[in-house]
Amino acid sequence: MEIKPVDEKSLTLKKLHPSWIGFKLFKSMRSLILFIIFVFMVLDISSNSIFSIYGFSLIGLFIVYQIGTTILEWKHFTYYLNGEELFINKGKFVTMKRYFPLENIQGINQNTSFFHRLLGLTSLLIDVGSSDKNTSIKLEMISLKEASNIKKTLSEFGNINVSKEEYTEEISDEELKGNSLDKNIHYEIELSEILIASLTSLRLLFFLTVLYTIYSELSQFFSIEEHVNKILNYFQSSVTMLSVGIVLLLVCSMVYGVLKTYLQYGGLKVTSDPYRIYIEKGKGSKTNFSIPKDKIQALSINSGFIHKVLNIVNVKLISSIDTDDQDVKASNVLFPFIERSKAFKLIPEVIPTIELSKNIVNIPKQSLFVKLLRTTYAWLLFPLVIYYFIPGFWYIALLIFVFTITSQILSGLFSGYALNESFLQLKKGSIATRMFVTKRDKIERLMMSQSMIQRKMGLASLKVTIRSRPTKVITIHDIPLQIALQCQSWYIEGKNFSTELTIPNKLQNNTNLYH
């Protein structure tokens, strides 16, 4: 990145919308609340305490500081974009100027929350391809027209492909010709998938939590306890009314789950061109996310207990793009909930460089003994301590015992691996299962280790570090020693395997991925 002086007076520097100040202050409410709790805990604040003056003074100073620094940050933040570079000036008390050549910019992601839509604004996150910690620039409150102009400039003079649909009406069809590549539509979410995902999630617990939170907040300002008790007594007056109340609660929770899932994932569409993957989603907050295919380091295919029974999986992208932006992290989900066989069919279409093996080799049965020995403290010692010192909570000790034993048995039954010429698949399973797929040249480090028990049983543990940001470490325990050595040789020496890994007959225990 080349730093060069610029006559800012000769440039038309642009600023974020003034509503960014209120948006930023609203987002900082959490830190304010935590600071107030800290002050109340450290200082004994009461009407008769001398510390109350100092406590409220600290809170007042903190609020003034937050408002002042936010205004300074908005005042100093300016940007300029031309056909050669992106210029950013930012800072609170000390400003910093940065220049980014357009050819180095690797991605642009757009997120339009409900608050943005009310004001006719949007947010852009630009991946500037920098090698330092700050790899992205966020333009959080800009107009839709300005966002379209930025995407148009990056598409014309940079390496970013923007489709016709991403431009607003101000940009003519003639300007678009030659600027966008044809996109293949791979997947569009169906309403049935949203319904199934909503009904199989734990939305009921979240719904009850939301109701309790609303009740707690309202009870601080209004006397609603008496009215709530009347409603509860009414539904508890008979078995029939109690049943009606339970049904109403379930219906409300299902409506809440479907609505929340629809607002979050409604309109989800996955498309791609030869170089990038594009993900669009959201009815409440709209997100347009794109990622270069060469930045994808691995895939994570996950399935919870209920989803595993229904043969549904969640597919996430593990990439080398480093960002602290929560919207982008959430957008790394390629398929939030999709039928397993459909996912395994679509993944090679979306990412042709990824190969999936349909057969996973289970870890050997003797691994169950090792897993149970490794977790003795959890299923034996801890329950015994609870039963001995707190005998009244014997049922908690029993639950811990049953849960730990069950999870270790399921881990031995559902964990496995697959290895071919270029790809490694590791599957870690118990009540929920997670499978990682990565390519050999995406692995930064592969380490093998053995405990004393594993050494006697002919087993080993494998730790794989993927070249992602942040670094992703995957560990699978209790695979055969011979397989661990072959994986190590496969990685270090780069041996070519023309077929699937051959397993000795006594260790063969193939499990089809679709079961």
Side-chain angles (χ1 to χ4, degrees), residues 150-167:
I150 291 174
K151 290 190 289 185
K152 177 178 180 293
T153 302
L154 293 178
S155 179
E156 289 181 347
F157 301 101
N159 298 319
I160 307 300
N161 172 47
V162 181
S163 66
K164 179 177 179 179
E165 291 77 8
E166 293 183 63
Y167 289 102

PDB file of all heavy atoms in Angstrom, residues 150-167:
ATOM      1  N   ILE A 150     -20.516   3.439  -5.545  1.00  0.00           N
ATOM      2  CA  ILE A 150     -19.275   2.808  -5.080  1.00  0.00           C
ATOM      3  C   ILE A 150     -19.109   1.440  -5.730  1.00  0.00           C
ATOM      4  O   ILE A 150     -18.029   1.085  -6.221  1.00  0.00           O
ATOM      5  CB  ILE A 150     -19.282   2.697  -3.541  1.00  0.00           C
ATOM      6  CG1 ILE A 150     -19.165   4.086  -2.905  1.00  0.00           C
ATOM      7  CG2 ILE A 150     -18.142   1.802  -3.061  1.00  0.00           C
ATOM      8  CD1 ILE A 150     -19.314   4.086  -1.405  1.00  0.00           C
ATOM      9  N   LYS A 151     -20.183   0.645  -5.751  1.00  0.00           N
ATOM     10  CA  LYS A 151     -20.106  -0.675  -6.367  1.00  0.00           C
ATOM     11  C   LYS A 151     -19.836  -0.573  -7.864  1.00  0.00           C
ATOM     12  O   LYS A 151     -19.103  -1.399  -8.428  1.00  0.00           O
ATOM     13  CB  LYS A 151     -21.389  -1.450  -6.095  1.00  0.00           C
ATOM     14  CG  LYS A 151     -21.556  -1.866  -4.637  1.00  0.00           C
ATOM     15  CD  LYS A 151     -22.699  -2.832  -4.427  1.00  0.00           C
ATOM     16  CE  LYS A 151     -24.036  -2.160  -4.592  1.00  0.00           C
ATOM     17  NZ  LYS A 151     -25.143  -3.079  -4.268  1.00  0.00           N
ATOM     18  N   LYS A 152     -20.407   0.410  -8.496  1.00  0.00           N
ATOM     19  CA  LYS A 152     -20.178   0.614  -9.931  1.00  0.00           C
ATOM     20  C   LYS A 152     -18.712   0.953 -10.195  1.00  0.00           C
ATOM     21  O   LYS A 152     -18.087   0.409 -11.113  1.00  0.00           O
ATOM     22  CB  LYS A 152     -21.079   1.736 -10.437  1.00  0.00           C
ATOM     23  CG  LYS A 152     -20.877   2.100 -11.907  1.00  0.00           C
ATOM     24  CD  LYS A 152     -21.854   3.190 -12.314  1.00  0.00           C
ATOM     25  CE  LYS A 152     -21.669   3.563 -13.787  1.00  0.00           C
ATOM     26  NZ  LYS A 152     -20.380   4.215 -14.035  1.00  0.00           N
ATOM     27  N   THR A 153     -18.141   1.843  -9.371  1.00  0.00           N
ATOM     28  CA  THR A 153     -16.734   2.223  -9.542  1.00  0.00           C
ATOM     29  C   THR A 153     -15.809   1.032  -9.325  1.00  0.00           C
ATOM     30  O   THR A 153     -14.864   0.811 -10.091  1.00  0.00           O
ATOM     31  CB  THR A 153     -16.371   3.358  -8.558  1.00  0.00           C
ATOM     32  OG1 THR A 153     -17.232   4.479  -8.779  1.00  0.00           O
ATOM     33  CG2 THR A 153     -14.923   3.785  -8.733  1.00  0.00           C
ATOM     34  N   LEU A 154     -16.078   0.249  -8.261  1.00  0.00           N
ATOM     35  CA  LEU A 154     -15.245  -0.919  -7.985  1.00  0.00           C
ATOM     36  C   LEU A 154     -15.385  -1.967  -9.076  1.00  0.00           C
ATOM     37  O   LEU A 154     -14.438  -2.698  -9.373  1.00  0.00           O
ATOM     38  CB  LEU A 154     -15.626  -1.515  -6.625  1.00  0.00           C
ATOM     39  CG  LEU A 154     -15.321  -0.654  -5.399  1.00  0.00           C
ATOM     40  CD1 LEU A 154     -15.787  -1.333  -4.128  1.00  0.00           C
ATOM     41  CD2 LEU A 154     -13.824  -0.361  -5.312  1.00  0.00           C
ATOM     42  N   SER A 155     -16.563  -2.063  -9.675  1.00  0.00           N
ATOM     43  CA  SER A 155     -16.776  -3.027 -10.751  1.00  0.00           C
ATOM     44  C   SER A 155     -16.052  -2.603 -12.029  1.00  0.00           C
ATOM     45  O   SER A 155     -15.507  -3.442 -12.751  1.00  0.00           O
ATOM     46  CB  SER A 155     -18.274  -3.177 -11.030  1.00  0.00           C
ATOM     47  OG  SER A 155     -18.514  -4.088 -12.079  1.00  0.00           O
ATOM     48  N   GLU A 156     -16.019  -1.296 -12.310  1.00  0.00           N
ATOM     49  CA  GLU A 156     -15.398  -0.807 -13.538  1.00  0.00           C
ATOM     50  C   GLU A 156     -13.880  -0.749 -13.456  1.00  0.00           C
ATOM     51  O   GLU A 156     -13.177  -1.100 -14.405  1.00  0.00           O
ATOM     52  CB  GLU A 156     -15.936   0.588 -13.870  1.00  0.00           C
ATOM     53  CG  GLU A 156     -17.378   0.609 -14.340  1.00  0.00           C
ATOM     54  CD  GLU A 156     -17.848   2.013 -14.688  1.00  0.00           C
ATOM     55  OE1 GLU A 156     -17.128   2.966 -14.316  1.00  0.00           O
ATOM     56  OE2 GLU A 156     -18.914   2.157 -15.305  1.00  0.00           O
ATOM     57  N   PHE A 157     -13.361  -0.293 -12.308  1.00  0.00           N
ATOM     58  CA  PHE A 157     -11.920  -0.050 -12.198  1.00  0.00           C
ATOM     59  C   PHE A 157     -11.195  -1.044 -11.298  1.00  0.00           C
ATOM     60  O   PHE A 157      -9.970  -1.052 -11.260  1.00  0.00           O
ATOM     61  CB  PHE A 157     -11.676   1.370 -11.675  1.00  0.00           C
ATOM     62  CG  PHE A 157     -12.270   2.433 -12.548  1.00  0.00           C
ATOM     63  CD1 PHE A 157     -13.468   3.045 -12.215  1.00  0.00           C
ATOM     64  CD2 PHE A 157     -11.633   2.811 -13.715  1.00  0.00           C
ATOM     65  CE1 PHE A 157     -14.023   4.036 -13.008  1.00  0.00           C
ATOM     66  CE2 PHE A 157     -12.176   3.804 -14.533  1.00  0.00           C
ATOM     67  CZ  PHE A 157     -13.375   4.411 -14.184  1.00  0.00           C
ATOM     68  N   GLY A 158     -11.916  -1.852 -10.550  1.00  0.00           N
ATOM     69  CA  GLY A 158     -11.289  -2.815  -9.657  1.00  0.00           C
ATOM     70  C   GLY A 158     -11.513  -4.237 -10.117  1.00  0.00           C
ATOM     71  O   GLY A 158     -11.808  -4.508 -11.287  1.00  0.00           O
ATOM     72  N   ASN A 159     -11.395  -5.177  -9.170  1.00  0.00           N
ATOM     73  CA  ASN A 159     -11.558  -6.594  -9.473  1.00  0.00           C
ATOM     74  C   ASN A 159     -12.862  -7.151  -8.933  1.00  0.00           C
ATOM     75  O   ASN A 159     -13.005  -8.364  -8.760  1.00  0.00           O
ATOM     76  CB  ASN A 159     -10.379  -7.381  -8.874  1.00  0.00           C
ATOM     77  CG  ASN A 159      -9.057  -6.961  -9.479  1.00  0.00           C
ATOM     78  OD1 ASN A 159      -8.963  -6.744 -10.684  1.00  0.00           O
ATOM     79  ND2 ASN A 159      -8.033  -6.841  -8.647  1.00  0.00           N
ATOM     80  N   ILE A 160     -13.819  -6.280  -8.658  1.00  0.00           N
ATOM     81  CA  ILE A 160     -15.084  -6.698  -8.069  1.00  0.00           C
ATOM     82  C   ILE A 160     -16.141  -6.801  -9.161  1.00  0.00           C
ATOM     83  O   ILE A 160     -16.324  -5.870  -9.941  1.00  0.00           O
ATOM     84  CB  ILE A 160     -15.546  -5.713  -6.980  1.00  0.00           C
ATOM     85  CG1 ILE A 160     -14.436  -5.503  -5.953  1.00  0.00           C
ATOM     86  CG2 ILE A 160     -16.814  -6.205  -6.311  1.00  0.00           C
ATOM     87  CD1 ILE A 160     -14.008  -6.771  -5.248  1.00  0.00           C
ATOM     88  N   ASN A 161     -16.826  -7.936  -9.203  1.00  0.00           N
ATOM     89  CA  ASN A 161     -17.917  -8.118 -10.150  1.00  0.00           C
ATOM     90  C   ASN A 161     -19.226  -7.825  -9.445  1.00  0.00           C
ATOM     91  O   ASN A 161     -19.524  -8.384  -8.400  1.00  0.00           O
ATOM     92  CB  ASN A 161     -17.926  -9.557 -10.680  1.00  0.00           C
ATOM     93  CG  ASN A 161     -19.159  -9.838 -11.519  1.00  0.00           C
ATOM     94  OD1 ASN A 161     -19.518  -9.052 -12.389  1.00  0.00           O
ATOM     95  ND2 ASN A 161     -19.807 -10.954 -11.244  1.00  0.00           N
ATOM     96  N   VAL A 162     -20.013  -6.909  -9.995  1.00  0.00           N
ATOM     97  CA  VAL A 162     -21.310  -6.541  -9.432  1.00  0.00           C
ATOM     98  C   VAL A 162     -22.371  -6.801 -10.488  1.00  0.00           C
ATOM     99  O   VAL A 162     -22.250  -6.328 -11.624  1.00  0.00           O
ATOM    100  CB  VAL A 162     -21.338  -5.064  -8.988  1.00  0.00           C
ATOM    101  CG1 VAL A 162     -22.691  -4.711  -8.382  1.00  0.00           C
ATOM    102  CG2 VAL A 162     -20.226  -4.799  -7.985  1.00  0.00           C
ATOM    103  N   SER A 163     -23.398  -7.541 -10.111  1.00  0.00           N
ATOM    104  CA  SER A 163     -24.434  -7.887 -11.077  1.00  0.00           C
ATOM    105  C   SER A 163     -25.374  -6.726 -11.319  1.00  0.00           C
ATOM    106  O   SER A 163     -25.427  -5.757 -10.564  1.00  0.00           O
ATOM    107  CB  SER A 163     -25.239  -9.094 -10.581  1.00  0.00           C
ATOM    108  OG  SER A 163     -25.964  -8.746  -9.426  1.00  0.00           O
ATOM    109  N   LYS A 164     -26.159  -6.842 -12.385  1.00  0.00           N
ATOM    110  CA  LYS A 164     -27.103  -5.794 -12.760  1.00  0.00           C
ATOM    111  C   LYS A 164     -28.119  -5.549 -11.665  1.00  0.00           C
ATOM    112  O   LYS A 164     -28.543  -4.425 -11.413  1.00  0.00           O
ATOM    113  CB  LYS A 164     -27.794  -6.195 -14.061  1.00  0.00           C
ATOM    114  CG  LYS A 164     -28.833  -5.198 -14.543  1.00  0.00           C
ATOM    115  CD  LYS A 164     -29.407  -5.652 -15.871  1.00  0.00           C
ATOM    116  CE  LYS A 164     -30.473  -4.681 -16.347  1.00  0.00           C
ATOM    117  NZ  LYS A 164     -31.039  -5.079 -17.644  1.00  0.00           N
ATOM    118  N   GLU A 165     -28.537  -6.632 -10.985  1.00  0.00           N
ATOM    119  CA  GLU A 165     -29.563  -6.488  -9.958  1.00  0.00           C
ATOM    120  C   GLU A 165     -29.096  -5.691  -8.758  1.00  0.00           C
ATOM    121  O   GLU A 165     -29.904  -5.215  -7.963  1.00  0.00           O
ATOM    122  CB  GLU A 165     -30.014  -7.882  -9.496  1.00  0.00           C
ATOM    123  CG  GLU A 165     -30.789  -8.684 -10.531  1.00  0.00           C
ATOM    124  CD  GLU A 165     -29.889  -9.289 -11.588  1.00  0.00           C
ATOM    125  OE1 GLU A 165     -28.654  -9.210 -11.425  1.00  0.00           O
ATOM    126  OE2 GLU A 165     -30.421  -9.821 -12.581  1.00  0.00           O
ATOM    127  N   GLU A 166     -27.789  -5.562  -8.572  1.00  0.00           N
ATOM    128  CA  GLU A 166     -27.266  -4.868  -7.409  1.00  0.00           C
ATOM    129  C   GLU A 166     -27.201  -3.363  -7.618  1.00  0.00           C
ATOM    130  O   GLU A 166     -26.878  -2.618  -6.699  1.00  0.00           O
ATOM    131  CB  GLU A 166     -25.876  -5.410  -7.047  1.00  0.00           C
ATOM    132  CG  GLU A 166     -25.914  -6.844  -6.562  1.00  0.00           C
ATOM    133  CD  GLU A 166     -24.532  -7.327  -6.148  1.00  0.00           C
ATOM    134  OE1 GLU A 166     -23.968  -6.758  -5.195  1.00  0.00           O
ATOM    135  OE2 GLU A 166     -24.018  -8.258  -6.776  1.00  0.00           O
ATOM    136  N   TYR A 167     -27.453  -2.900  -8.821  1.00  0.00           N
ATOM    137  CA  TYR A 167     -27.457  -1.466  -9.069  1.00  0.00           C
ATOM    138  C   TYR A 167     -28.864  -0.909  -8.873  1.00  0.00           C
ATOM    139  O   TYR A 167     -29.859  -1.594  -9.063  1.00  0.00           O
ATOM    140  CB  TYR A 167     -27.004  -1.172 -10.501  1.00  0.00           C
ATOM    141  CG  TYR A 167     -25.539  -1.413 -10.737  1.00  0.00           C
ATOM    142  CD1 TYR A 167     -25.118  -2.559 -11.382  1.00  0.00           C
ATOM    143  CD2 TYR A 167     -24.598  -0.490 -10.318  1.00  0.00           C
ATOM    144  CE1 TYR A 167     -23.775  -2.788 -11.610  1.00  0.00           C
ATOM    145  CE2 TYR A 167     -23.249  -0.699 -10.547  1.00  0.00           C
ATOM    146  CZ  TYR A 167     -22.844  -1.856 -11.193  1.00  0.00           C
ATOM    147  OH  TYR A 167     -21.526  -2.065 -11.408  1.00  0.00           O
TER     148      TYR A 167
END
